[in-house]
Every structure is written in C-alpha cells, then in structure tokens.
Amino acid sequence: MQVVSISSLKGGVGKTSVTTGLASAALAAGIPTLVVDLDPHADASTALGVQPSDTLDIARMLKNPRKARLPENVVASGWTQRAESNGSGPAVLDVAVGSAYTGIYDRPDLGKRDLRRLSAVLTGADKYELVLVDCPPSLNGLTRMAWSASTKVALVAEPGLFSVAGTERTMRAIQLFRQEFAPSLSPAGIVANRVRSGSSEHAFRLAEMQSMFGDLLLTPHIPEQANWQQIQGAAHAIHHWPGDSAKSAAGLFDTLLGNLMSAGRAGGRSRSSR
C-alpha cells in the first residue's frame, strides 16, 4: 500500500482538483483506493459524491484512532456506481469523509503522539493499494500528521512566482520533517497544475522549476481546465465526463498517476533539498 499526501503550502493551486483527478485515474485503472479528506473544508468529499451517512468522519476517527474501525466508517464514492455501470467490474474508491472538526488538530504545536493519529487509523486500510491524503494548505498539525502516515508527498504548484517559492520552502520542510519524524518519507514529485500553454510567464516558471527541482518535476503538466468547476460541481470523475477536453485531461491524469506511483525513489535530489 502506498500512502501519498497531496500537499501545498499555498492555497488556491488546485490541490484538491489534483487529488480527485488522481482518484479518478486510480478508479479507471482498477486500483483499490482510499481518499482521506484531511482538509477542514472537506471539498474532496463533496467532489467525490459522498452521500450523508451515520459513519464516523475522519475527525472523529482521529479523536480515538485505536477504536476508529476504518473499514466500517469509510464511505463509497458516488463515482463507483458510474464506473461499474460502464462495465468496468467491481470498483473500489472509498472516502474517509472530511469534517470541519479536523481543524482542532491544525495547530503548530501538535506533539509526536498526536502526529501518529492518522497512522493508527490507517492500520485498518490494508484492503487498499493506494491512499491519497488531501491536506490543508498549511504546515500545521494536519499536514504533519499526514506526512507522518505517508510513504510519499506529492506537491502541487502553479507556475507562478509565489507558488514556486512556496514549493521550494515545502521541499525544505519535507527534508527537515524526514530527519526528525519520518525517515522513510520521500518526495514523490511536484505536479505543475493549471498551466496555460500560451502564457510566457508560465513557460518561464516551468523552466525555472525544471532547473530548481530536476526530475522531481513530474510530467505531464496539468493544463488549466475550463470546465473543471462544472465537473466537480456535478460530483463526477473526469473519466466519466463527456467531451474531448475531459478525455484529454483524463489521459494526463492516467499518465501522472503512473509516474507518481513510480516516483520518489531518488527523492531529495533537488537543489532545494541539498
């Protein structure tokens, strides 16, 4: 099982969109996947078409992780029914539902014992091959809790000045966190998101990112998707959305997922981590 945190220390870069795009690709590939919605805004849960239920949300599981019983409290994504109706056979895409209550853990002074809460919850996740953790855009307790439970961290960045600078800071933070808390954690790479092909500024920043991060800059880059908000608003997987644009984006996420799953073996080679 690979546990991948999807992180960014800058908001508004499309971190949740990348998480759901990767989840869609995993569903299409038949990879049993769990999405842990650790962001207090719980946007990933909404986009994944989760229906209200009596199960425990992730916040209540974190409150008492030894009694969390994860398999009994995850909720199937609404996407799975569409996948099965399209003839792809049994589909597994479950969600540990997000909650604003997780915000009580999103503080900078979280102790080592609290950092292990998500790891304890995920001991019940052995039926999955992939766990995607959608993190809040901060380096407070929730992100550090996610990193403690993860094998890899994938960073999301827009090709803009502030986002690139934030990504460099995050790479340094990962290295420090590895040394102190999680020696087996590795950076899976950086996803360049919302890329505009006709923008000279984006082309310049992508070249800058390539120079700074080398092989850690994953391919393919994800272009700006005009109908992405409509797709998420309808709680659809991008692989189930009609039209050539969605089909093209789905193919990019398929490739990105494959590269992400095999990345991170040579983590720490970027200039920012030296």
Side-chain angles (χ1 to χ4, degrees):
M1 182 178 69
Q2 295 200 44
V3 182
V4 183
S5 286
I6 313 297
S7 298
S8 170
L9 299 193
K10 183 182 183 302
V13 297
K15 172 182 54 59
T16 298
S17 298
V18 169
T19 302
T20 55
L22 292 170
S24 179
L27 179 64
I31 299 171
T33 299
L34 171 68
V35 175
V36 179
D37 190 358
L38 212 57
D39 191 327
H41 291 104
D43 291 337
S45 298
T46 301
L48 287 158
V50 171
Q51 298 299 318
S53 71
D54 295 329
T55 58
L56 299 180
D57 58 38
I58 187 60
R60 288 185 287 172
M61 284 190 272
L62 291 173
K63 184 177 180 180
N64 196 343
R66 292 184 179 180
K67 298 181 179 179
R69 297 180 180 177
L70 178 73
E72 298 175 17
N73 288 296
V74 296
V75 179
S77 166
W79 299 357
T80 57
Q81 293 180 353
R82 298 187 188 101
E84 291 170 353
S85 67
N86 289 336
S88 60
V92 178
L93 176 58
D94 294 336
V95 185
V97 180
S99 166
Y101 185 60
T102 56
I104 66 172
Y105 298 107
D106 205 28
R107 57 183 197 269
D109 60 342
L110 212 63
K112 289 185 178 181
R113 182 177 178 181
D114 285 327
L115 289 179
R116 293 193 291 268
R117 287 178 181 270
L118 183 59
S119 298
V121 170
L122 291 180
T123 58
D126 52 0
K127 85 175 211 180
Y128 305 104
E129 294 180 22
L130 175 65
V131 177
L132 298 171
V133 186
D134 189 28
C135 301
S138 69
L139 192 54
N140 288 327
L142 287 172
T143 294
R144 293 164 64 227
M145 191 186 294
W147 290 1
S148 293
S150 295
T151 51
K152 298 178 181 179
V153 179
L155 305 180
V156 180
E158 283 186 311
L161 173 61
F162 301 134
S163 184
V164 173
T167 301
E168 189 171 24
R169 291 194 302 272
T170 309
M171 290 297 300
R172 291 197 296 268
I174 291 172
Q175 295 305 318
L176 292 172
F177 191 83
R178 289 175 65 185
Q179 294 171 19
E180 188 171 358
F181 298 107
S184 62
L185 182 68
S186 66
I190 301 158
V191 180
N193 191 39
R194 293 179 176 170
V195 177
R196 294 194 296 272
S197 59
S199 169
S200 58
E201 171 66 12
H202 279 203
F204 175 83
R205 295 300 172 190
L206 284 172
E208 181 181 43
M209 292 169 72
Q210 185 67 59
S211 175
M212 293 171 67
F213 305 117
D215 293 341
L216 286 174
L217 182 61
L218 295 172
T219 56
H221 308 321
I222 304 301
E224 193 168 52
Q225 184 84 6
N227 60 352
W228 191 257
Q229 289 187 345
Q230 184 182 7
I231 295 171
Q232 290 185 318
H236 268 59
I238 194 158
H239 286 70
H240 301 154
W241 196 258
D244 291 340
S245 175
K247 184 178 180 179
S248 174
L252 294 177
F253 276 110
D254 290 338
T255 304
L256 182 62
L257 178 66
N259 292 341
L260 178 65
M261 295 283 281
S262 62
R265 298 192 180 101
R269 293 185 296 171
S270 70
R271 294 181 183 179
S272 61
S273 62
R274 293 177 182 171

